[in-house]
Amino acid sequence: MRTLPILDLFVIILYLVAMVAVGAWFSRKNKNADQFTTASGRIPGWAIGLSIYATFLSSNTFLGVPGKAFGSNWNSFVFSLSMPLAAWVATRFFIPFYRQTGEVSAYTHLEHRFGPWARTYAVVCFLLTQLARMGSIFFGIALSLQALTGYPMATIMVIVGTCIILYTVMGGMEAVIWTEVVQGVIKTAGAFIILWLVVDGMSGGVDRIVAIGRTDNKFSLGSFAPDFTQATFWVILLYGFFMNLNNFGMDQNYVQRYHTTTSKREAARSVWLCVYLYVPVSLVFFVIGSCLYAYYQTNPDLMDAVRMQVATERLPNGSPAAIRQLAATLQPADVGDKVMPHFMVTRVPAGLVGLIVAAILSAAMSTISSGMNASATVFSLDIYQRYINPALSEKKALRLLYLATTFFGLLGMLTGIAMIGVKSVLDVWWLLSGIFAGGMLGLFLLGIISRTTRNAEALTATLIGILVIVWMTFSAQLPEEYAFLRNPLHQNMIMVVGTLTIFLIGVLLTRLRRPKPAPVETVA
């Protein structure tokens, strides 16, 4: 830990103040709920594309991806490779559907198809997914800033969260989008700055990095064997396709943006712009992780320092001997999330630290602000106005959105505080999002594709799907005598199996319901 130089502190404070100022600037336009949630449909497609890209490029990417590459390989990059196929499905089918219905909420359609229970179930799953996402991002940003400042992680979350709440509540969706445009540029520049610093400080340069990476199999995309019990290429590809389909197809964060553009064509262009930017830039973060691995392998004293830091955090009251003993047993996978913050503390020169921290802050703030706005919109439309007071005036609807945005911001902050001490922020996010999103996506696909499925079939399929998801998630906790009942598949398959279970069982029940055609009598 160290005290940040005045110049770096000035850059960070300037960035936070600027974000709040943007929210104050756009607050003048928020005269009604439509402006707050969709910016009245006047945002150009390129800005929406950069906004979606910035939402994808969260602090989970900024810190979690290099940590995964450092501790293992490029297996998680397969998630990015699945994006083009999911984007094609979304632009071909989902965007035209949403633009035609005109519904701001992604979940109103489910009530039209299957009844209020379906809409409520999807809303609950979405809100839980958002809490998991915001919490993991709060945790990621606090993890990095703690290493730089020495302040408690909870304190950092409160300070950063307050700034995010202020500019999101004041500015609404238009402020969120335009700040994300700026944040997308800042965080991309930050990634390339970190990459340059690591390579520049590496003895032997790129050739040495490649040699070490090849020797230790750091560039592998995973096994291509048809094995779904491990994080193989195919497991990550399937998980990535279904999760990105959920993101582009029914995540309120993205669906809400489709309504802020001027046309269906602009909305589709925004999705493809996000894909064109995110896939190569996410690769940069894997390259950073591999470069950091080579750097720390050639500087074993620095690697020992990281191990000691992690061991001290795991044994805060342990003796020096116990801490040293634990540190000696830690592997690269155990310290991955700590490496980039440690590199910034020890190797990044004064002046650049502030810029990189601003980039990490922008990575966190863009995703959290989007989650807050989308959660508030869903709560307002799908819960409050659906069940409590459907006849809200424009003034009261806007006030409700302000309060809901603040509430979900605070709840996300508390979720992040509860995550303090987890091993891998990226693994936690992938697990929680797969649990909550699997059932939601399966029900949505059933409603879109199977036009003859009725309420009873959909409800039955959803209940069975929930039971399958619960079993796959928690069966690993069963005692040894019941080991045969444990889920044999990798945890990322929860999303895939949960989605397919609801969809396929719904289709099967629909077919079983159809009466068989009467036999045709032939005339002799």
Side-chain angles (χ1 to χ4, degrees):
M1 295 182 294
R2 75 181 188 189
T3 301
L4 287 177
I6 296 298
L7 178 60
D8 294 314
L9 285 173
F10 175 76
V11 171
I12 296 170
I13 294 172
L14 180 64
Y15 171 78
L16 292 174
V17 171
M19 291 298 99
V20 175
V22 168
W25 171 266
F26 283 105
S27 65
R28 303 175 304 168
K29 297 184 177 182
N30 287 325
K31 306 300 182 183
N32 53 59
D34 180 61
Q35 172 63 29
F36 188 89
T37 57
T38 66
S40 299
R42 298 194 304 265
I43 307 295
W46 65 266
I48 300 300
L50 284 174
S51 172
I52 297 175
Y53 160 72
T55 301
F56 262 99
L57 197 61
S58 67
S59 61
N60 287 347
T61 305
F62 224 99
L63 297 170
V65 166
K68 289 290 289 184
F70 182 94
S72 55
N73 50 35
W74 289 6
N75 175 237
S76 298
F77 179 61
V78 181
F79 180 92
S80 300
L81 296 179
S82 69
M83 287 182 68
L85 180 58
W88 180 84
V89 175
T91 55
R92 178 70 175 81
F93 300 104
F94 293 156
I95 289 179
F97 171 77
Y98 286 121
R99 294 287 303 193
Q100 182 179 0
T101 62
E103 298 285 355
V104 175
S105 169
Y107 314 115
T108 305
H109 166 72
L110 291 175
E111 181 172 0
H112 297 330
R113 284 288 286 113
F114 302 128
W117 71 267
R119 180 180 185 178
T120 303
Y121 168 71
V123 166
V124 171
C125 288
F126 170 76
L127 293 177
L128 291 174
T129 304
Q130 290 310 298
L131 288 180
R133 173 184 287 171
M134 289 190 289
S136 64
I137 292 170
F138 268 118
F139 170 77
I141 186 62
L143 185 70
S144 177
L145 293 185
Q146 183 195 40
L148 292 168
T149 65
Y151 288 112
M153 294 178 68
T155 302
I156 294 170
M157 292 186 206
V158 170
I159 294 173
V160 174
T162 300
C163 294
I164 297 174
I165 291 171
L166 283 174
Y167 87 76
T168 306
V169 169
M170 289 190 296
M173 178 54 76
E174 192 165 3
V176 168
I177 289 172
W178 287 112
T179 52
E180 286 179 341
V181 170
V182 176
Q183 289 164 347
V185 175
I186 292 174
K187 65 181 72 174
T188 304
F192 282 100
I193 290 173
I194 294 173
L195 179 61
W196 174 76
L197 289 171
V198 179
V199 174
D200 184 65
M202 179 70 187
S203 176
V206 175
D207 292 339
R208 185 76 182 281
I209 293 171
V210 173
I212 293 175
R214 285 179 174 174
T215 301
D216 293 347
N217 198 32
K218 304 305 291 185
F219 306 131
S220 170
L221 293 178
S223 170
F224 285 86
D227 181 5
F228 297 96
T229 64
Q230 306 293 327
T232 60
F233 177 92
W234 306 112
V235 166
I236 303 302
L237 185 68
L238 284 171
Y239 172 82
F241 172 71
F242 279 91
M243 182 54 69
N244 284 313
L245 193 63
N246 177 78
N247 290 336
F248 289 132
M250 63 171 306
D251 190 319
Q252 183 67 26
N253 282 289
Y254 307 96
V255 173
Q256 197 165 327
R257 284 169 170 77
Y258 302 155
H259 294 285
T260 64
T261 60
T262 56
S263 66
K264 176 178 69 177
R265 186 178 182 183
E266 286 292 295
R269 283 180 174 178
S270 70
V271 170
W272 283 115
L273 177 59
C274 166
V275 173
Y276 296 149
L277 290 172
Y278 184 79
V279 174
V281 172
S282 66
L283 178 60
V284 171
F285 286 97
F286 285 95
V287 173
I288 290 173
S290 297
C291 291
L292 285 170
Y293 177 82
Y295 181 86
Y296 278 81
Q297 287 296 305
T298 56
N299 294 276
D301 55 326
L302 295 178
M303 189 65 187
D304 290 340
V306 176
R307 289 194 179 102
M308 285 296 293
Q309 177 189 344
V310 174
T312 302
E313 292 176 0
R314 292 190 183 181
L315 296 175
N317 300 318
S319 66
I323 291 174
R324 286 193 298 270
Q325 184 178 6
L326 175 61
T329 65
L330 295 176
Q331 301 299 313
D334 299 317
V335 301
D337 282 349
K338 301 289 185 179
V339 171
M340 193 157 80
H342 182 270
F343 179 82
M344 292 170 59
V345 169
T346 57
R347 296 300 178 218
V348 177
L352 284 179
V353 175
L355 292 174
I356 295 174
V357 171
I360 297 175
L361 280 171
S362 67
M365 297 174 77
S366 59
T367 308
I368 293 173
S369 60
S370 296
M372 289 168 53
N373 189 284
S375 298
T377 301
V378 165
F379 174 80
S380 174
L381 296 177
D382 296 305
I383 297 179
Y384 193 89
Q385 295 188 53
R386 172 63 181 82
Y387 295 106
I388 300 175
N389 186 1
L392 280 181
S393 65
E394 286 291 346
K395 185 177 181 179
K396 289 183 178 180
L398 188 59
R399 185 185 304 165
L400 174 64
L401 287 168
Y402 288 153
L403 293 174
T405 302
T406 303
F407 172 77
F408 285 108
L410 293 173
L411 206 55
M413 190 190 309
L414 292 174
T415 305
I417 294 173
M419 288 184 178
I420 293 176
V422 301
K423 180 179 177 181
S424 172
V425 63
L426 192 63
D427 285 342
V428 170
W429 160 236
W430 279 18
L431 174 63
L432 293 177
S433 60
I435 293 171
F436 298 136
M440 182 169 55
L441 179 60
L443 181 60
F444 182 80
L445 293 176
L446 185 63
I448 291 289
I449 298 175
S450 181
R451 292 291 184 179
T452 57
T453 300
R454 296 178 181 174
N455 180 27
E457 291 95 24
L459 179 58
T460 303
T462 300
L463 291 174
I464 295 173
I466 292 173
L467 291 176
V468 170
I469 291 172
V470 170
W471 166 71
M472 293 185 70
T473 303
F474 299 106
S475 62
Q477 309 300 321
L478 291 172
E480 284 300 325
E481 57 265 32
Y482 300 106
F484 66 95
L485 294 175
R486 292 175 181 171
N487 167 33
L489 302 178
H490 189 269
Q491 65 180 24
N492 287 343
M493 291 298 294
I494 296 174
M495 170 75 174
V496 178
V497 175
T499 299
L500 292 177
T501 297
I502 293 176
F503 175 73
L504 294 178
I505 289 181
V507 171
L508 176 62
L509 293 175
T510 302
R511 289 185 177 274
L512 292 176
R513 172 179 52 83
R514 293 177 181 173
K516 295 182 179 180
V520 178
E521 297 182 0
T522 57
V523 180

